[in-house]
Amino acid sequence: MASMVAGSNAPLTAENPGLPGVIIAMGWTAVPSNGPQSELTSMAIVCGADGRALSPEHLVFFNQLTTAGGGVRFAGGEARDAEQVDVEFARVPADVAKISFLAYVDPELRGPGTFAAVRSAYIRVARPDGSELLRFDIPEMHGDRIKAMMFGELYRHRDDWKFRALGQGYENGLVGVAQDFGLDL
C-alpha cells in the first residue's frame, strides 16, 4: 500500500495489469458535540474531458446509487469506512475522463455546518477483494469555513486509469461544487 500526499498521482491499471476495477473508500471521524453535529455525505461525479459532469445522472450518492450501465456504484459504508463507491473499469463509458470523489456537510440535517469537527479524513483505493492499493490521509486544516471537500479523483491517462490525491476544500459548499462541475444542485 502506498501513502500519498496532496497533488500526487499514482498509476493503477499500468502497475496492476488486469485490474478490473477499484473500491474507492472514504472515511472520517467527527468530534462529538453537545450542540448541532455536522454530518458528512459523500458523492462521486462522473466527468467528461472538460472536467464537468456528463449529466445530472452522472452523480452517484445515497439518492442515486449508480450511473447508467452500472460502472460507478454507491456501495454505502462498512465497518472501517464511512462510504464506498465501486468502479468497474470495463463498464465506464469511453467518454468518461475522470470520476471525482467528494464529501459535503449536509445542510439539511442540522443547519449549516462545516468541516471544523472533522478529523482523520482519508480516501483509499482498494482492489475489488478489499486489499488496499493507495491511501491519502487528508491533512488537518482549519475547516471552520470548509463546507465541501474533494478528496481525490480517478482519471484516464491514455488507456490506463490513475488516481490523484487532492484534499481541495470548498468554502461555498455544494454551490461551489455545482459551479465547478456544471450541475444544478
Side-chain angles (χ1 to χ4, degrees), residues 49-70:
D50 63 358
R52 297 169 75 79
L54 290 172
S55 75
E57 288 74 41
H58 288 87
L59 177 65
V60 177
F61 66 113
F62 68 88
N63 229 9
Q64 187 165 288
L65 300 178
T66 188
T67 56

Side-chain angles (χ1 to χ4, degrees), residues 65-146:
L65 300 178
T66 188
T67 56
V72 181
R73 294 181 309 278
F74 184 72
E78 65 173 48
R80 74 189 265 195
D81 305 308
E83 306 285 0
Q84 290 185 345
V85 176
D86 293 337
V87 179
E88 190 175 336
F89 297 138
R91 295 177 76 179
V92 176
D95 60 344
V96 173
K98 74 176 181 177
I99 305 165
S100 296
F101 299 90
L102 302 97
Y104 63 93
V105 178
D106 192 332
E108 301 298 320
L109 291 178
R110 293 176 181 91
T114 67
F115 272 69
V118 176
R119 304 286 185 273
S120 305
Y122 67 87
I123 184 168
R124 61 185 193 89
V125 181
R127 291 179 180 88
D129 68 7
S131 60
E132 196 166 288
L133 292 165
L134 305 167
R135 182 183 178 97
F136 171 49
D137 291 309
I138 297 170
E140 297 291 328
M141 62 177 62
H142 301 288
D144 56 331
R145 296 173 56 182
I146 304 296

Side-chain angles (χ1 to χ4, degrees), residues 8-33:
S8 63
N9 305 304
L12 293 173
T13 54
E15 296 214 356
N16 299 280
L19 183 68
V22 292
I23 298 168
I24 301 295
M26 300 186 333
W28 50 80
T29 302
V31 176
S33 168

Side-chain angles (χ1 to χ4, degrees), residues 149-169:
M149 170 84 58
M150 188 174 348
F151 283 46
E153 63 188 11
L154 285 174
Y155 66 98
R156 287 188 201 262
H157 180 72
R158 297 186 184 102
D159 293 331
D160 291 309
W161 284 95
K162 295 178 104 178
F163 179 78
R164 179 177 295 121
L166 292 169
Q168 173 189 332

